[in-house]
Amino acid sequence: MERGNIAELRAKIKKSQDKKRYEHTLGVTYTAACLAMCYDIDTERAEIAGLLHDCAKCLSNDKKVSLCKKQSIEINMTEAKNPFLLHAKAGAYLAEHKYGVRDEDILNAVRYHTTGRPGMSMLEKIVFIADYIEPGRNHSARLPELRRLAFQDLDKALVEILRDTLRYLKGTGNEIDPMTQKTYDYYKK
Ligand code: DGI
Ligand code: FE
Ligand code: FE
């Protein structure tokens, strides 16, 4: 994609998100680009994936569910009870069919940005981690350490983020998506 097209995509995403979500999207986009530089991954694909990762976040839960049903996208039991989780799968669908992305790695980075998955690509890891550490985030006392770690050892950062997420979910009594647990089990040593 050319730079002009990235600017065009950014403008479209801006229209589809509220102000706070768009600020977060920009944070993820430039953090993903920086991680891509650090690990020798294509920066433009990181930017596109960052811009698109939450593209379905501002749909209502009803719309997320109906879009997934209409497009025969599987909804598991955790997602049925916590429809916000579907913004990842619904986002991958919109990235392809509304925003015209054909790059399967970018689509997977959007699809798995919330739960991760076993055997993630570099781009998938970068978007997953950028989502957690972007500068606008302020949800964990460990962020300074995790931000440093992300630029030193991507896989270690991934495991630490998954561990913290699972701990947080258990603490709040939130239901854990089987994929989040599977991803942690796959990457932990
Ligand atoms: O969309 P964002 O808010 O930018 O970030 P995200 O897509 O990573 O979603 C973050 C939320 O998702 C966070 O509150 C933790 C939650 N989450 C991640 N894995 C699971 C989960 N929530 C549930 N219920 N189950 C999970 O397995
Ligand atoms: Fe998200
Ligand atoms: Fe996000």
Side-chain angles (χ1 to χ4, degrees), residues 56 59-73 75 86 89-94 97-98:
L59 299 179
S60 67
N61 280 339
D62 282 352
K63 278 224 172 98
K64 289 177 194 113
V65 172
S66 62
L67 184 148
C68 288
K69 283 190 176 154
K70 188 166 171 205
Q71 302 307 331
S72 306
I73 296 166
I75 302 175
L86 288 173
K89 288 179 177 175
Y93 177 83
L94 293 181
H97 297 280
K98 178 175 173 189

Side-chain angles (χ1 to χ4, degrees), residues 21 24 28 53-54 57 78 82 84-85 87-88 113-115 128 131-132 137 165-166 168-169 174-181:
R21 182 58 45 181
H24 162 70
V28 173
H53 86 284
D54 275 340
K57 190 84 179 185
T78 313
N82 305 274
F84 79 91
L85 288 168
H87 78 277
H113 84 267
T114 304
T115 60
F128 181 90
D131 193 21
Y132 200 84
R137 291 288 207 199
T165 299
L166 286 171
Y168 166 78
L169 291 171
N174 265 304
E175 196 176 346
I176 290 161
D177 190 290
M179 189 65 95
T180 310
Q181 186 67 52

Side-chain angles (χ1 to χ4, degrees), residues 72-168:
S72 306
I73 296 166
E74 195 209 305
I75 302 175
N76 70 29
M77 270 155 62
T78 313
E79 289 165 338
K81 284 187 226 159
N82 305 274
F84 79 91
L85 288 168
L86 288 173
H87 78 277
K89 288 179 177 175
Y93 177 83
L94 293 181
E96 181 173 0
H97 297 280
K98 178 175 173 189
Y99 298 99
V101 171
R102 293 285 170 264
D103 183 322
E104 199 57 39
D105 198 15
I106 294 177
L107 297 176
N108 283 332
V110 176
R111 189 172 290 122
Y112 298 107
H113 84 267
T114 304
T115 60
R117 66 161 169 167
M120 294 163 89
S121 71
M122 286 297 286
L123 186 66
E124 288 171 54
K125 291 176 189 173
I126 282 172
V127 172
F128 181 90
I129 292 167
D131 193 21
Y132 200 84
I133 67 167
E134 65 95 356
R137 291 288 207 199
N138 181 26
H139 54 86
S140 157
R142 291 187 66 213
L143 274 175
E145 169 197 346
L146 292 172
R147 286 177 172 134
R148 202 177 318 116
L149 186 60
F151 288 90
Q152 291 165 343
D153 188 327
L154 199 67
D155 281 339
K156 263 193 200 158
L158 181 67
V159 174
E160 289 302 310
I161 289 169
L162 285 161
R163 183 180 293 131
D164 281 7
T165 299
L166 286 171
R167 195 183 293 136
Y168 166 78

Side-chain angles (χ1 to χ4, degrees), residues 7-17 22 98-99:
E8 222 170 86
L9 176 59
R10 197 193 305 125
K12 280 189 199 160
I13 293 292
K14 184 176 185 182
K15 275 197 211 157
S16 78
Q17 293 181 331
Y22 180 63
K98 178 175 173 189
Y99 298 99

